[in-house]
């Protein structure tokens, strides 16, 4: 039995990994269905059919995305045009620092009686080879648009179906479990909706503060840094790590003084620390508190399987799993572990 369970687990992981192009749009659509379902219900109460309410909600969401895209297109194009020059400048500066460190290390080895020949110069680092920036951007954009359209269609169909899937679920469970199943479904929807809304509000506030801070520090394109904070801070831990690395690299290419360079990531780390330790605990409340270790492990696991979408979906899936575990006999220890 243990061997069969291990084989089944490996097969499931393989299916999730190799079938990510199929599973990821479905998982994202289910997330947005849980988030937008209450809005459609309110429209149904005023007399609109489910399909009409779903169309209004999906078109409204699409309008917001398109409007934001047009608003950010000009600064994004400017940043993309400057990116190769900035990266080359940063690489040149880093190579200069690396050469200085190697010279110091070489001198220390000579003093200590090392075998390195005198006057040996550090080997140059070959420039990484790969496809051009335009090819990478257009390739990524094409797959993103395809996935975005798939998600929109799935969200519309799920919202337009109303309570169809819940009614079918009620038919296949026993009469004694129907009430508990309905409670679990509604609680999962509530937890996901509240988590995404609260996380979005926190990320919006942090993005505004980070953009203002980057503007005060003299960083180029502070609006884009604010928007990047908004999206990346929706991914726990990994998003902040990517932001700190990107800000450090751009600051290295932009400024000459060491103080100004390291002030940029230091300020962002300070903003992120205040958000994680002061704002988030108050905003989420006790109902949404999850074990930080479980969250980090989940983010790393789904990042390895599905990349960025998996990291984005990790926390809602952990929250939903905790709700199910809390209401299922035999899974109580799992729910206790996932909670804070």
């Amino acid at each position: 039995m243990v061997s069969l369970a291990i084989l089944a687990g490996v097969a499931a992981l393989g299916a999730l990994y190799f079938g990510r192009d199929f599973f990821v749009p479905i998982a994202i659509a289910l997330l947005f269905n849980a988030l937008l379902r209450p809005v459609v219900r309110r429209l149904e109460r005023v007399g609109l059919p489910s399909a009409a309410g779903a169309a209004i909600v999906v078109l409204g969401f699409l309008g917001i995305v398109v409007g934001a895209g047009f608003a950010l297109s000009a600064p994004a194009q400017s940043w993309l045009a400057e990116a190769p020059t900035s990266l080359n400048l940063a690489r040149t500066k880093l190579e200069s620092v690396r050469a200085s460190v190697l010279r110091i290390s070489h001198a220390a080895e000579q003093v200590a009686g090392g075998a390195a020949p005198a006057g040996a110069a550090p080997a140059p680092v070959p420039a990484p080879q790969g496809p051009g920036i335009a090819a990478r951007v257009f390739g990524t954009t094409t797959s993103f648009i395809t996935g975005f359209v798939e998600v929109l269609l799935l969200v519309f169909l799920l919202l337009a179906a109303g309570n169809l899937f819940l009614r079918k679920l009620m038919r296949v469970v026993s009469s004694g479990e129907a009430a508990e199943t309905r409670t679990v479904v509604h609680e999962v929807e509530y937890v996901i909706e509240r988590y995404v809304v609260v996380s979005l509000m926190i990320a919006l506030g942090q993005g505004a503060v980070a953009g203002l801070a980057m503007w005060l520090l003299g960083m180029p394109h502070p609006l884009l840094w604010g928007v990047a904070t908004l999206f990346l801070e929706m991914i726990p831990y990994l998003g902040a790590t990517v932001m700190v690395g990107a800000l450090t690299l751009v600051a290295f290419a932009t400024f000459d003084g060491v103080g100004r360079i390291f002030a940029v990531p230091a300020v962002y780390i300070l903003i992120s620390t205040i958000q994680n330790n002061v704002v988030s605990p108050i905003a989420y409340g006790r109902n949404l508190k999850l074990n930080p270790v479980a969250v980090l492990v989940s983010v790393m696991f789904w990042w390895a399987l599905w990349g960025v979408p998996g990291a984005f979906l990790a926390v809602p899936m952990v929250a939903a799993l905790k709700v199910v575990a809390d209401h299922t006999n035999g899974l109580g220890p799992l729910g206790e572990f996932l909670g804070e």
Side-chain angles (χ1 to χ4, degrees):
M1 291 296 293
V2 175
S3 299
L4 288 176
I6 293 175
L7 288 175
V10 171
L13 290 176
L16 288 172
Y17 179 77
F18 292 106
R20 56 188 177 274
D21 291 339
F22 173 77
F23 289 113
V24 167
I26 295 176
I28 295 177
L30 290 172
L31 172 68
F32 280 100
N33 174 65
L35 175 64
L36 300 175
R37 167 64 56 193
V39 182
V40 176
R41 286 201 190 103
R42 293 187 185 96
L43 295 175
E44 289 173 351
R45 293 193 190 104
V46 299
L48 282 177
S50 297
I56 292 173
V57 170
V58 171
L59 289 175
F61 175 75
L62 180 61
I64 292 173
V65 171
V66 172
F70 275 114
L72 293 172
S73 60
Q77 289 175 357
S78 175
W79 183 85
L80 286 174
E82 297 172 4
T85 303
S86 299
L87 292 176
N88 287 332
L89 180 58
R91 184 164 54 192
T92 301
K93 289 184 177 180
L94 287 172
E95 180 59 27
S96 175
V97 172
R98 175 182 174 274
S100 299
V101 171
L102 287 178
R103 281 195 295 269
I104 294 173
S105 176
H106 175 69
E109 287 178 359
Q110 285 186 322
V111 171
V125 178
Q129 300 296 321
I133 291 178
R136 292 198 295 268
V137 169
F138 284 118
T140 304
T141 302
T142 301
S143 67
F144 172 78
I145 292 175
T146 302
F148 184 72
V149 172
E150 291 176 357
V151 170
L152 279 182
L153 289 175
L154 285 170
V155 170
F156 171 75
L157 292 175
L158 287 170
L159 292 174
N163 292 322
L164 174 64
F165 292 101
L166 180 59
R167 293 197 302 270
K168 290 184 177 296
L169 181 61
M170 293 301 100
R171 291 174 188 168
V172 300
V173 299
S174 63
S175 57
E177 297 176 345
E180 183 71 10
T181 302
R182 186 184 296 272
T183 300
V184 171
V185 171
H186 288 312
E187 190 170 340
V188 166
E189 288 184 351
Y190 168 76
V191 166
I192 292 177
E193 176 195 2
R194 186 173 176 197
Y195 170 78
V196 175
V197 170
V198 171
S199 298
L200 182 60
M201 294 299 103
I202 293 174
L204 277 170
Q206 186 172 347
V209 173
L212 178 61
M214 295 305 108
W215 176 71
L216 292 174
L217 289 170
M219 283 285 284
H221 309 295
L223 176 61
L224 285 182
W225 291 118
V227 174
T229 299
L230 165 62
F231 285 104
L232 288 173
E233 284 295 334
M234 296 292 289
I235 303 175
Y237 306 113
L238 294 180
T241 302
V242 172
M243 279 296 300
V244 170
L247 285 170
T248 303
L249 182 63
V250 175
F252 207 92
T254 303
F255 306 123
D256 293 324
V258 175
R260 292 194 68 184
I261 291 173
F262 287 102
V264 172
V267 168
Y268 189 86
I269 291 173
L270 176 62
I271 294 171
S272 184
T273 301
I274 294 173
Q275 181 266 111
N276 287 320
N277 294 282
V278 178
V279 179
S280 290
I282 297 174
Y284 285 125
R286 294 196 57 84
N287 292 336
L288 287 178
K289 287 186 177 179
L290 298 171
N291 186 336
V293 176
V295 170
L296 178 59
V297 171
S298 178
V299 170
M300 294 171 62
F301 174 79
W302 289 106
W303 173 279
L305 279 183
W306 289 352
V308 174
F312 171 72
L313 292 166
V315 178
M317 287 192 286
V318 169
L321 179 60
K322 183 182 184 302
V323 172
V324 174
D326 288 340
H327 289 83
T328 303
N329 293 331
L331 295 181
L334 176 60
E336 179 65 26
F337 172 76
L338 295 178
E340 191 176 50

